[in-house]
Amino acid sequence: MTPRIIITAAAWNLGLDTEEGAPEKPLFEAQCTSCGHSSGATEGRRLPAEAWALKHTGERPGHRSFRAIQTSFWRVTPAPGNPYASEVAE
């Protein structure tokens, strides 16, 4: 006899993390794809990363390609009816 397995699903919501301590704005960073050097991340402002990339190329004319990194923070929360809706997240 084959064992019976019951699989249940629950609804979840995915959205920006607005919990206390979470960054309020996205982080922006530029990384040179030639040498790997990075501008470092700044919260909510692209201009420092853009200026860094232009300066980096000015100092190293062969380094013209960059990875633009934008980091946002998400949180998953249980939707109404989800059995975890009444539990506090760890």
Side-chain angles (χ1 to χ4, degrees), residues 34-76:
S34 297
C35 69
H37 288 156
S38 168
S39 64
T42 55
E43 186 175 339
R45 299 180 344 189
R46 288 175 39 166
L47 185 57
E50 293 170 348
W52 178 87
L54 292 167
K55 181 180 177 189
H56 187 78
T57 296
E59 295 170 349
R60 298 161 187 84
H63 295 206
R64 300 181 185 186
S65 179
F66 296 86
R67 180 175 294 110
I69 304 165
Q70 179 178 333
T71 305
S72 297
F73 298 86
W74 297 348
R75 178 168 293 275
V76 174

